[in-house]
Amino acid sequence: MKKTALLLASLLIGGTAWAQVPVPAAKQTTPTLLTGATLHVGNGQVIEKAAVAFDNGKITYAGPAAGFNAGATAYDKVDVSGKHIYPGLILPNSQLGLTEIESVRATLDQQEVGIFNPNVRSVVAYNTDSDITPTLRSNGVLLAQVTPVGGMISGSSSVVQLDAWNWEDALIKADGGIHLRWPGLVQMGDNSPQAQQRKQQRDAGLQQLSALLAEASVYKNQKNDKQNLRMSSMTGLFDGSKKLFIHADYGKEIIEAVRFAQKAGVKNVVIVGGGDALMVADFLKEHQIPVIYSGVHALPARAGDDVYLPYKMPGYLQKAGILFCLDYDASLHGTRNLPFIAGTAVAFGLDKEAALSAVTLNAAKILGVDNRVGSLEAGKDATLIVSEGDLLDMRTNKVALSFIEGRKLNLNDKQKYLYEKFNHKYEVGK
């Protein structure tokens, strides 16, 4: 009996120690008014001494506090004077909820077997109980694009909000785009057997891809008694209801991939990665191709490049007139640093409000959810953050309040729990 009691006690203690994902917040029931803070709308506009009101999960007012009229509505007023209000940050191109511990295979569900998997839906594997998710919310990241990897066509991505019981509740936009991993070019002049083999594999893969897209284009115009999931998953590429996210970095590959997609009849293309986006800026601007830029905290691609080029790239893209947003591809556990990626770009020439747009409104536009999120405007979701200081500066980023669709979030996470635990341990030991 003693052994049994000890075992139960140890299990209970362990469960308490690791149960760090807070219960999702309840639906908003009381109209809320935030007053006195500096409002960063997300579209470049900044309003001092602002007010933001929201009810039933939607923003009803966002502007100067002096211009707000409550009317007959009784608001729960929260004084946030001296603080800053921002839209919830959006993390694109992420395996959040699909990957937990890289060394534990049972926690990995970001990739399907095979080369062409357009019908794979990453969102159905999205784990809302990930320990990583609360750490993102603590830094202001409230939405993410759940993206599969692997093969040439990895599958479809969806946009989710980061406070939900299950993937159905988390959905903001389902299956908004299909992800194509563009095969790298083989270096010219390399006549080695290995290079020739890679070239043959690349050519064969592109031929198969071309045939697959052609078949899907024909399929969309046919009446079929039985649905072909592989084909039907791609029909949205040809009417513009889905985007093709092409993962490519080098300039020649970007141009080749875009032309390939356009020739196949694909309406909307987005470049993910875009290391050489500046080199092909005129081409991207001409064809109105947006970029999810992945390499701010990375080394330059070439030995002769300016060592600070990755830091400066967002500023250059802004000046070139290219619609872009930022992601964090260094590590999944580091994605909570998304605001600081934007902060680095500010330090190297990008306007601060433009940097905010690069992780809010621009991301929302590229992912096709700007009708709901990305900026703080009347009619949009009340998905927002209150920070005690500049959200993009790691020295002053301190999120005091967060709301998703008007629901006030619990901002506890595993890192905060461990800090409190060991702070108590060593304080007691003094």
Side-chain angles (χ1 to χ4, degrees):
M1 286 295 292
K2 286 184 178 180
K3 289 183 178 180
T4 303
L6 287 171
L7 177 60
L8 287 171
S10 64
L11 288 172
L12 288 171
I13 292 170
T16 302
W18 289 103
Q20 299 310 312
V21 181
V23 172
K27 186 177 180 180
Q28 182 186 11
T29 57
T30 305
T32 301
L33 175 64
L34 307 177
T35 61
T38 299
L39 171 62
H40 303 261
V41 178
N43 59 6
Q45 187 179 9
V46 179
I47 301 172
E48 301 288 345
K49 296 181 180 179
V52 176
F54 48 95
D55 189 17
N56 292 320
K58 296 292 183 179
I59 297 173
T60 56
Y61 180 84
F68 177 70
N69 182 8
T73 305
Y75 283 92
D76 180 10
K77 296 182 180 180
V78 182
D79 185 359
V80 288
S81 298
K83 297 181 173 62
H84 298 258
I85 303 175
Y86 296 91
L89 305 190
I90 304 171
L91 174 68
N93 186 34
S94 171
Q95 285 74 59
L96 180 68
L98 305 180
T99 298
E100 193 73 12
I101 305 171
E102 292 183 2
S103 60
V104 180
R105 177 64 186 88
T107 70
L108 308 181
D109 202 4
Q110 78 279 29
Q111 180 174 344
E112 192 55 82
V113 175
I115 299 174
F116 300 103
N117 295 299
N119 53 302
V120 167
R121 303 180 65 217
S122 61
V123 73
V124 299
Y126 175 63
N127 174 25
T128 55
D129 290 322
S130 170
D131 277 339
I132 302 170
T133 301
T135 67
L136 272 69
R137 298 199 306 240
S138 293
N139 273 5
V141 181
L142 302 184
L143 303 108
Q145 179 194 30
V146 180
T147 305
V149 299
M152 188 175 288
I153 297 184
S154 307
S156 66
S157 62
S158 297
V159 180
V160 297
Q161 51 87 359
L162 304 186
D163 184 62
W165 283 109
N166 50 58
W167 68 264
E168 293 96 332
D169 293 344
L171 266 178
I172 296 293
K173 185 179 180 66
D175 306 319
I178 290 178
H179 290 258
L180 169 60
R181 312 275 163 174
W182 194 253
L185 288 166
V186 178
Q187 185 176 356
M188 292 181 64
D190 187 349
N191 296 316
S192 66
Q194 295 84 355
Q196 294 304 311
Q197 183 180 11
R198 290 198 302 272
K199 186 177 185 305
Q200 290 174 4
Q201 291 174 344
R202 184 179 193 272
D203 291 343
L206 291 178
Q207 287 177 8
Q208 293 177 58
L209 175 62
S210 180
L212 186 65
L213 290 172
E215 186 180 354
S217 180
V218 172
Y219 177 87
K220 73 179 176 65
N221 296 319
Q222 294 178 338
K223 292 183 179 180
N224 301 281
D225 295 332
K226 293 184 179 179
Q227 184 183 25
N228 183 322
L229 291 177
R230 206 180 202 198
M231 294 296 105
S232 62
S233 66
M234 292 189 288
T235 57
L237 296 175
F238 307 104
D239 62 18
S241 60
K242 279 189 177 183
K243 297 185 179 184
L244 183 63
F245 292 89
I246 302 177
H247 296 247
D249 277 304
Y250 291 103
K252 287 184 178 179
E253 293 171 4
I254 291 172
I255 293 174
E256 180 188 33
V258 170
R259 286 177 174 166
F260 182 96
Q262 291 176 338
K263 184 179 178 181
V266 175
K267 298 295 184 184
N268 292 322
V269 174
V270 177
I271 294 297
V272 183
D276 279 353
L278 187 63
M279 292 186 176
V280 294
D282 291 341
F283 174 83
L284 293 173
K285 189 174 180 180
E286 178 188 351
H287 293 274
Q288 298 182 328
I289 308 296
V291 175
I292 298 176
Y293 184 64
S294 301
V296 175
H297 282 186
L299 293 172
R302 299 170 181 83
D305 286 344
D306 178 359
V307 70
Y308 297 119
L309 180 60
Y311 302 161
K312 297 175 181 178
M313 185 65 76
Y316 290 151
L317 293 176
Q318 180 75 14
K319 290 177 183 177
I322 295 172
L323 176 63
F324 75 96
C325 68
L326 303 176
D327 82 351
Y328 188 95
D329 66 343
S331 72
L332 178 60
H333 288 77
T335 50
R336 62 179 178 268
N337 294 318
L338 178 68
F340 312 138
I341 289 287
T344 298
V346 172
F348 284 84
L350 184 63
D351 175 77
K352 183 175 288 187
E353 296 307 313
L356 176 64
S357 294
V359 288
T360 54
L361 186 57
N362 285 5
K365 289 178 179 178
I366 292 172
L367 300 181
V369 292
D370 55 305
N371 63 321
R372 291 187 57 180
V373 294
S375 61
L376 299 180
E377 302 172 80
K380 289 193 175 184
D381 290 356
T383 297
L384 54 94
I385 312 146
V386 177
S387 175
E388 293 188 7
D390 183 353
L391 191 72
L392 307 186
D393 189 334
M394 65 173 61
R395 298 167 300 181
T396 56
N397 174 305
K398 188 174 181 181
V399 176
L401 295 169
S402 279
F403 299 86
I404 291 180
E405 298 172 4
R407 299 179 293 110
K408 184 179 178 182
L409 305 187
N410 181 339
L411 291 175
N412 288 329
D413 61 46
K414 185 176 179 179
Q415 306 302 328
K416 291 177 180 177
Y417 165 79
L418 291 174
Y419 171 80
E420 294 295 336
K421 174 182 175 180
F422 289 103
N423 183 59
H424 173 74
K425 173 182 178 180
Y426 293 113
E427 285 296 322
V428 169
K430 285 182 179 179

